[in-house]
Amino acid sequence: MKTIEELMAIRDKAKEKMTVREDTGDNAIRVVVGMATCGIAAGARPVLSAFVNEIEKRHLKGVTVSQTGCIGMCQYEPIVEVLEPGKEKVTYVKMTAEKAVRVVNDHLVNGNPIMEFTIGAVTK
């Protein structure tokens, strides 16, 4: 880093990454990843990173990614809940980073939840 402009560019890039993890209001789509001990042990950290990276890569606005503690269904971890204003919550289970990329593409971008990844499909 040799100039103030380079420092400001680094700052701006870091600020862009932070907005994915901030609350953007009542109209935001929320992606909540279970990050209790059971979720982390089952692989929730790469799932969380995949959501953040893919949303950032696609420059999606109005989508926040956050983490929560135990969701209460440890046998189905990693668990991800997608909450959209005015719609029923979608609970994805046994998630992987690869599945997270598909959820961003199909559900968040195109509005089509992937039913075979949901709790309803797994418990039948």
Side-chain angles (χ1 to χ4, degrees):
M1 196 168 14
K2 296 181 181 178
T3 67
I4 191 71
E5 288 80 19
E6 288 176 324
L7 180 61
M8 290 173 78
I10 292 169
R11 180 199 65 187
D12 292 342
K13 187 170 183 166
K15 283 175 82 174
E16 280 180 26
K17 288 184 177 186
M18 289 174 52
T19 60
V20 174
R21 300 289 302 269
E22 292 176 357
D23 189 2
T24 58
D26 292 337
N27 293 326
I29 296 172
R30 290 181 38 223
V31 177
V32 181
V33 181
M35 293 286 288
T37 306
C38 52
I40 293 169
R45 197 170 308 281
V47 171
L48 176 73
S49 295
F51 272 105
V52 169
N53 293 338
E54 192 67 17
I55 289 167
E56 183 180 292
K57 182 174 99 176
R58 293 172 171 272
H59 305 289
L60 298 181
K61 302 296 180 205
V63 179
T64 62
V65 179
S66 61
Q67 59 189 48
T68 190
C70 185
I71 295 175
M73 301 181 292
C74 300
Q75 69 270 29
Y76 299 117
E77 292 286 357
I79 298 174
V80 175
E81 296 178 333
V82 177
L83 300 105
E84 297 178 85
K87 295 184 180 179
E88 194 170 321
K89 171 179 69 176
V90 177
T91 303
Y92 291 107
V93 296
K94 298 187 181 278
M95 289 297 293
T96 64
E98 293 78 19
K99 288 179 178 179
V101 171
R102 277 199 55 203
V103 169
V104 171
N105 181 54
D106 293 2
H107 188 161
L108 302 182
V109 173
N110 295 316
N112 301 314
I114 306 171
M115 299 315 291
E116 65 264 23
F117 295 171
T118 64
I119 186 72
V122 173
T123 58
K124 288 183 179 178

